[in-house]
Amino acid sequence: MDSRRFLRTSATALAAAGLILSGCTGGSDAAAPGAAPAPRASVAGLEAFYAQKPVWRDCGVPKFECTTLRAPLDYARPDAGEIKLAVSRVRATGPGKRLGSLLVNPGGPGGSAVGYLQGYAGIGYPAPVRARYDIVAVDPRGVARSEPVECLTGPQMDAYTQVDQTPDDARETAALTTSFKAFAAGCGKRSGKILPHVSTVETARDMDIVRAAVGDRKLTYVGASYGTFLGATYAELFPERAGRLVLDGAMDPSLPAVELNRDQTAGFETAFRSFAADCVEKPDCPLGTTSVAAATDNLKAFFRTVDAQPVPTGESRRLGESLATTGVIAAMYDEGAWPQLREALTRAIGGEGSALLALADSYYEREPDGSYANLMFANAAVNCLDLPASFTGPAGAEAAVPSFEKASPVFGAGLAWAALNCTYWPTPATGRPHRITAAGAPPIVVVGTTRDPATPYKWARSLADQLASGTLLTYEGDGHTAYGRGSDCIDTAINTYLLEGTVPEEGKRCS
């Protein structure tokens, strides 16, 4: 498994990004919930940034336009340098009166919003919404086209993703901590200038510059996964400029890193049990056909087998426990990937690991030529700034393993150790866990999926409760996030809110 907190976005965009926190945060048990919230943002001294008039140009993608906007590298020192933000849009198609711009973010942190817009949202969002809104995306600072954080070369990343994340002895523990240190050092060496300035608060402030640049008085926004934390942070900083905000697959900003990781570990266990229950009903299930408990034991046995003896994949990389676990987790985000996972496990258990490796590669956004998108680098950079590390050293991770294994017998140990990565981060955290109320903001719709693997449903309940104007919309089902994933009930409720401003009735549930 990778060492970052992830949260991928919706199933439709598994390849397009979206992670949050999957086995990955890094942190310390310091920082308790309830720390002081971020102050409301001021635009004093930022007039030149807010006065920008975008010059739109052809993107090379039919119907989409692109531009570049400037933002201060450091909002505390607006004269100390700038950062360039990549922005894209597709114009409202009509019919009907244009309602303004709808900003979208797929999650991550580290997911390319521009890629998500051009590959999915701008063509796949419900037609009534695309008819009335320009759909707009900005790659967050440090991500993809917006001065990306870089950490490791392709070969270095290949080595990093194969390090054993369930160490059995002191030697393996030392190898794991060395890999985390090397990753952090690489980020510091290659991206030291931007690394202290990729927090969620700074990205939320960038979003307000984008809002002004496209000429909207208020921000209309759909954020998935980590994008919900970004949207809630915007509402906290700019409640008077918040418009219709949809937060789908919500994070809970009040929790410290170690609790977020443990909750997400339980979420992946819930998703795996749903997969296993479906699998054992099929005659070709590679984990057996007797019970969920037996399937769980068989998967754990498979992980032990490839930990001791990785299987070939047809290339120089072999499939060991870390990559195998990542491949399984990648398929937990969307029940539509379950047939692919069954086939991949069948082949891997039979001694051929290429299909499961392909799932892991999709999770890491590894290209066929061995290069990687910057998703994982940005993911770590943002997470390690936003929250203090889960642990102060290996002893803390080792001590946490039993509680993580209680949350997930399948994934617990690996995700406990994965939470060690921010311990060695070169830039100190600037954020703290705290409740977000966004007092003064208009009604905000929070969407939760009952068996979401990456953002457990209880996080959506918590965020909706924290927000002074939050309303919870529930999808009873599997997969990560709900909007645009096949539920007419969910889509109708969100479309009505975006188009008419009508909030779903309290307690509304869809399936």
Side-chain angles (χ1 to χ4, degrees):
M1 271 296 299
D2 182 78
S3 52
R4 259 128 282 52
R5 259 196 326 264
F6 300 152
L7 229 105
R8 287 197 173 262
T9 50
S10 70
T12 350
L14 181 60
L19 294 235
I20 281 193
L21 298 122
S22 80
C24 319
T25 339
S28 115
D29 336 278
R40 295 189 177 186
S42 167
V43 300
L46 303 173
E47 291 82 1
F49 296 103
Y50 275 86
Q52 294 176 87
K53 302 298 181 185
V55 177
W56 296 99
R57 63 185 186 278
D58 179 67
C59 291
V61 180
K63 299 184 180 180
F64 290 90
E65 300 174 306
C66 290
T67 192
T68 301
L69 295 175
R70 297 175 294 108
L73 176 66
D74 183 350
Y75 276 93
R77 297 185 301 144
D79 298 329
E82 297 178 353
I83 191 168
K84 293 180 179 179
L85 303 173
V87 185
S88 183
R89 75 175 178 185
V90 60
R91 302 302 298 267
T93 60
K97 181 182 177 182
R98 178 182 173 276
L99 294 175
S101 299
L102 171 62
L103 193 69
V104 297
N105 182 279
S112 170
V114 171
Y116 176 73
L117 171 72
Q118 296 177 356
Y120 171 62
I123 54 177
Y125 264 27
V129 172
R130 290 185 287 113
R132 306 286 300 280
Y133 284 100
D134 296 346
I135 313 295
V136 178
V138 53
D139 276 348
R141 53 175 57 210
V143 173
R145 301 162 180 84
S146 294
E147 303 197 18
V149 171
E150 298 293 345
C151 300
L152 301 179
T153 66
Q156 289 171 333
M157 192 66 180
D158 278 348
Y160 176 74
T161 61
Q162 295 177 75
V163 174
D164 188 351
Q165 288 207 338
T166 55
D168 299 316
D169 52 36
R171 180 185 60 81
E172 290 186 350
T173 299
L176 181 58
T177 56
T178 296
S179 74
F180 288 153
K181 291 175 182 177
F183 186 99
C187 297
K189 180 179 179 180
R190 301 181 68 183
S191 303
K193 180 180 178 182
I194 194 175
L195 217 57
H197 300 293
V198 293
S199 70
T200 296
V201 166
E202 289 161 306
T203 295
R205 298 196 67 170
D206 294 342
M207 284 167 49
D208 199 51
I209 289 176
V210 175
R211 173 202 58 77
V214 298
D216 286 355
R217 189 172 61 87
K218 292 181 179 288
L219 180 77
T220 304
Y221 175 80
V222 174
S225 200
Y226 159 80
T228 66
F229 180 40
L230 184 56
T233 299
Y234 181 91
E236 179 181 39
L237 293 169
F238 304 104
E240 73 286 354
R241 294 178 199 157
R244 298 169 187 174
L245 307 185
V246 177
L247 310 180
D248 183 13
M251 283 184 64
D252 183 348
S254 72
L255 297 178
V258 69
E259 291 189 34
L260 285 169
N261 282 312
R262 192 159 38 225
D263 281 353
Q264 194 178 56
T265 299
F268 282 114
E269 180 69 18
T270 297
F272 171 73
R273 292 182 68 83
S274 288
F275 162 75
D278 178 76
C279 186
V280 298
E281 294 296 321
K282 295 175 168 55
D284 63 344
C285 179
L287 301 178
T289 58
T290 55
S291 68
V292 170
T296 299
D297 289 341
N298 289 335
L299 182 61
K300 289 167 64 178
F302 166 68
F303 286 156
R304 287 193 298 269
T305 297
V306 294
D307 184 28
Q309 185 61 54
V311 298
T313 63
E315 58 166 276
S316 59
R317 292 179 299 156
R318 294 173 71 84
L319 184 79
E321 183 182 15
S322 291
L323 285 171
T325 303
T326 302
V328 173
I329 281 180
M332 293 298 99
Y333 285 88
D334 175 21
E335 65 272 28
W338 290 357
Q340 183 182 358
L341 178 59
R342 288 198 306 273
E343 179 184 355
L345 282 172
T346 297
R347 291 171 58 181
I349 291 169
E352 200 286 300
S354 62
L356 198 52
L357 179 64
L359 279 168
D361 284 350
S362 74
Y363 190 80
Y364 288 123
E365 292 201 351
R366 183 186 190 272
E367 300 296 333
D369 65 1
S371 64
Y372 287 77
N374 96 305
L375 173 66
M376 295 308 184
F377 309 141
N379 185 268
V382 175
N383 283 325
C384 294
L385 267 190
D386 278 351
L387 288 175
S390 295
F391 310 118
T392 57
E398 186 172 17
V401 166
S403 67
F404 275 69
E405 288 187 320
K406 183 178 180 180
S408 173
V410 176
F411 306 115
L415 298 189
W417 282 103
L420 188 62
N421 72 309
C422 289
T423 300
Y424 308 107
W425 205 246
T427 303
T430 55
R432 294 293 184 274
H434 65 279
R435 291 175 62 85
I436 290 181
T437 62
I444 297 172
V445 175
V446 179
V447 188
T449 297
T450 55
R451 294 186 295 278
D452 191 313
T455 49
Y457 178 62
K458 69 177 185 178
W459 289 359
R461 288 200 313 253
S462 179
L463 180 59
D465 181 63
Q466 291 172 44
L467 291 166
S469 59
T471 294
L472 179 63
L473 174 63
T474 298
Y475 174 58
E476 296 178 343
D478 296 291
H480 183 37
T481 73
Y483 186 46
R485 296 192 65 241
S487 169
D488 289 340
C489 174
I490 289 289
D491 289 357
T492 298
I494 293 176
N495 293 347
T496 300
Y497 170 65
L498 290 174
L499 297 172
E500 302 173 13
T502 303
V503 178
E505 63 265 27
E506 191 67 38
K508 184 176 180 64
R509 303 179 77 88
C510 297
S511 59

